[in-house]
Amino acid sequence: MGARARGTLIVLCGAIFLEGIDVAMLNVALPTIRADLGLTTGELSGVVSAYVLGYAGFMLLGGRAADVFGKRRMFLTWLVVFLVFSGLGGLATEGWVLLAARFVTGVAAAFLTPAGLALVTASFPAGPLRTRALGFYAGTAAGGYSLGLVAGGLLTALGWRWVFFAPVVLSAAILLAAIPLVRETGQRQAVRGLDLAGAGSITAAMLLLAYGVVRLESPGEGTATTAALLVGGAAMVAVFVAVERRSHAPLVRLGLLRTPALVRTNTAALLFLGSFAGFQFLVTLYLQELRGWTPLQTALALLVVAIDTILAPTLTTRLVNRFGPVPVLLGGLASAVLAYALFLPVAPDWTYALMLPSFAALGLAFSLAYGPLTMAATDGVDEAEHGLAGGLLYTSMQFGTALGLSAATAVHVGATAAGATGIDALRAAMAVPLAGAALGLVVVAVGLRRRTAVTVTDPAAV
């Protein structure tokens, strides 16, 4: 890997690190933001939901835009938008300004993230070099989220606005380095007309579905509205499919969505990130509300999960080069199942030594799963569609995060309403991440078994 290629990789890794650390720091700062701006619980939840809506709603469009309009152009343009609106969030004095800033920041991430992944895959040839590059990329992505918890605790102590201003400084540095280093790679797809109907229908579908999933966090509150949103989102998906079948220049080539390996990869991504989101939420409740730990103590307790920052670009890339991404992904999901199972019997007086095995196993899970998911997302996909493939992967991750958080919250609230004590309600909800990770393990295992069967029967078919 030459000096320029190394510099390009550092810039692209910096961008995905920025996205992860931005989300994690905000989660830690939410209570302080509410106290300062006088936000209601609904408004505070909206600060998180606004980002999810922008991210999930425009991700597929962002992935396609990278393929059509150029990966570098989309990367640089939306990095600027991310910078500007992150700064606007830090200057907010009213709740609605913060909500608007987070929504547009989410939209910027939806265009920025798939363009960044497509640039990585296009900048490095398939083989060990690309595997190594994607290992570093995945490690910094997951590490950004883990380290963001600690950074959020430290910055919130200085003032919650620094949680928004710090990404401004980081994104400005990335932008200055990206302009001379990042080059346009690959060929853009030929455009015979913009598929406005497809873009509008899938964006509407993603927005409705994301908002419906977010509302699941409050069971029994506006159930009819939530159901209407989910049904409306499903209907818009059907409209999108009908439009794409008739379009001469479809936004998404439907044949790509019928690839079994791609479907399994995105399903595994949804379940893996969903189970982690639910687990992290429940652990935060346990440590802060049941045990009285501070946000910084909680963040430091979870810091061991960031071991993936070291293992992903070293151990994982070697394992993938030897065994391929799918077997390594299987090991990662098995480690996640172990992590959640070990935490299932949690008690009010657990010492950190009793929690540590779960957190360490989760760090290993991220080390073995996140990178292979990123690699498998574009494996076998034409380079001209890598932006779209990246958009599909991150859409699955974002929906998984929202769904896992909503499901864990719903079970916890339901158990509490049924009269369960705090620790009993927590144990009941802990079954959600365990079930999600176990289901993801089954999905990947079935795919690996079928792939092995094909290899044995007809090696030329692989």
Side-chain angles (χ1 to χ4, degrees):
M1 191 181 296
R4 185 185 186 92
R6 191 179 296 111
T8 300
L9 180 59
I10 291 172
V11 167
L12 297 174
C13 286
I16 197 66
F17 179 85
L18 170 68
E19 190 273 333
I21 200 172
D22 174 79
V23 174
M25 289 193 304
L26 177 64
N27 289 342
V28 175
L30 286 175
T32 307
I33 294 173
R34 169 157 65 178
D36 190 30
L37 297 184
L39 302 181
T40 65
T41 301
E43 289 173 329
L44 191 67
S45 174
V47 172
V48 178
S49 302
Y51 184 87
V52 172
L53 289 174
Y55 201 137
F58 289 85
M59 181 62 76
L60 284 179
L61 183 59
R64 175 60 171 164
D67 293 329
V68 173
F69 299 111
K71 305 172 186 66
R72 181 180 185 272
R73 177 185 295 178
M74 290 294 100
F75 181 82
L76 295 178
T77 299
W78 289 97
L79 182 58
V80 172
V81 176
F82 191 100
L83 184 157
V84 171
F85 280 86
S86 185
L88 180 62
L91 297 172
T93 56
E94 299 287 341
W96 70 268
V97 177
L98 190 57
L99 288 171
R102 290 307 292 170
F103 177 78
V104 180
T105 304
V107 174
F111 283 83
L112 175 65
T113 305
L117 176 59
L119 281 168
V120 173
T121 58
S123 299
F124 299 92
L129 192 60
R130 180 182 291 178
T131 298
R132 188 180 180 195
L134 287 173
F136 276 101
Y137 189 76
T140 52
Y145 196 89
S146 304
L147 296 175
L149 296 173
V150 179
L154 293 172
L155 290 174
T156 302
L158 298 175
W160 66 264
R161 296 183 188 278
W162 280 104
V163 168
F164 292 90
F165 294 148
V168 170
V169 176
L170 182 57
S171 54
I174 294 170
L175 180 64
L176 290 175
I179 292 173
L181 283 174
V182 177
R183 293 175 176 174
E184 187 61 73
T185 54
Q187 303 227 343
R188 301 180 194 174
Q189 288 191 3
V191 183
R192 292 173 289 175
L194 291 175
D195 183 15
L196 297 179
S201 57
I202 193 59
T203 299
M206 295 296 102
L207 286 170
L208 289 171
L209 289 172
Y211 189 36
V213 168
V214 167
R215 284 180 62 91
L216 290 174
E217 295 179 23
S218 303
E221 185 176 325
T223 304
T225 302
T226 301
L229 288 167
L230 295 174
V231 171
M236 291 307 298
V237 170
V239 171
F240 169 72
V241 172
V243 168
E244 297 306 278
R245 284 178 174 172
R246 293 170 173 78
S247 175
H248 296 293
L251 179 72
V252 176
R253 183 174 63 84
L254 295 180
L256 184 66
L257 305 180
R258 292 193 290 268
T259 306
L262 190 71
V263 173
R264 284 193 295 269
T265 297
N266 283 275
T267 302
L270 183 149
L271 292 168
F272 179 69
L273 269 296
S275 62
F276 172 71
F279 179 76
Q280 186 203 25
F281 170 72
L282 295 172
V283 167
T284 301
L285 286 183
Y286 170 71
L287 294 178
Q288 293 190 28
E289 294 192 358
L290 296 181
R291 301 294 298 273
W293 290 23
T294 66
L296 182 57
Q297 287 175 316
T298 301
L300 290 173
L302 293 171
L303 185 60
V304 68
V305 179
I307 194 175
D308 58 351
T309 310
I310 300 171
L311 295 181
T314 53
L315 173 65
T316 305
T317 53
R318 293 178 182 177
L319 293 175
V320 169
N321 283 329
R322 182 171 181 180
F323 301 106
V326 179
V328 180
L329 172 59
L330 188 69
L333 285 164
S335 185
V337 172
L338 175 63
Y340 304 142
L342 288 174
F343 208 84
L344 200 58
V346 61
D349 57 350
W350 262 24
T351 63
Y352 183 66
L354 292 173
M355 306 177 211
L356 186 59
S358 290
F359 300 155
L362 189 57
L364 180 61
F366 261 94
S367 303
L368 298 179
Y370 201 98
L373 282 171
T374 307
M375 298 167 194
T378 56
D379 190 24
V381 178
D382 188 272
E383 186 177 312
E385 293 182 312
H386 277 191
L388 174 59
L392 288 170
L393 175 69
Y394 290 114
T395 297
S396 300
M397 289 181 171
Q398 198 64 28
F399 267 102
T401 298
L403 187 59
L405 181 59
S406 298
T409 302
V411 173
H412 186 269
V413 171
T416 302
T421 62
I423 194 64
D424 289 335
L426 190 85
R427 289 195 195 110
M430 195 61 69
V432 173
L434 178 60
L439 184 56
L441 181 65
V442 171
V443 168
V444 174
V446 170
L448 182 61
R449 182 179 179 183
R450 289 179 178 174
R451 182 176 179 179
T452 303
V454 171
T455 303
V456 172
T457 306
D458 182 11
V462 180

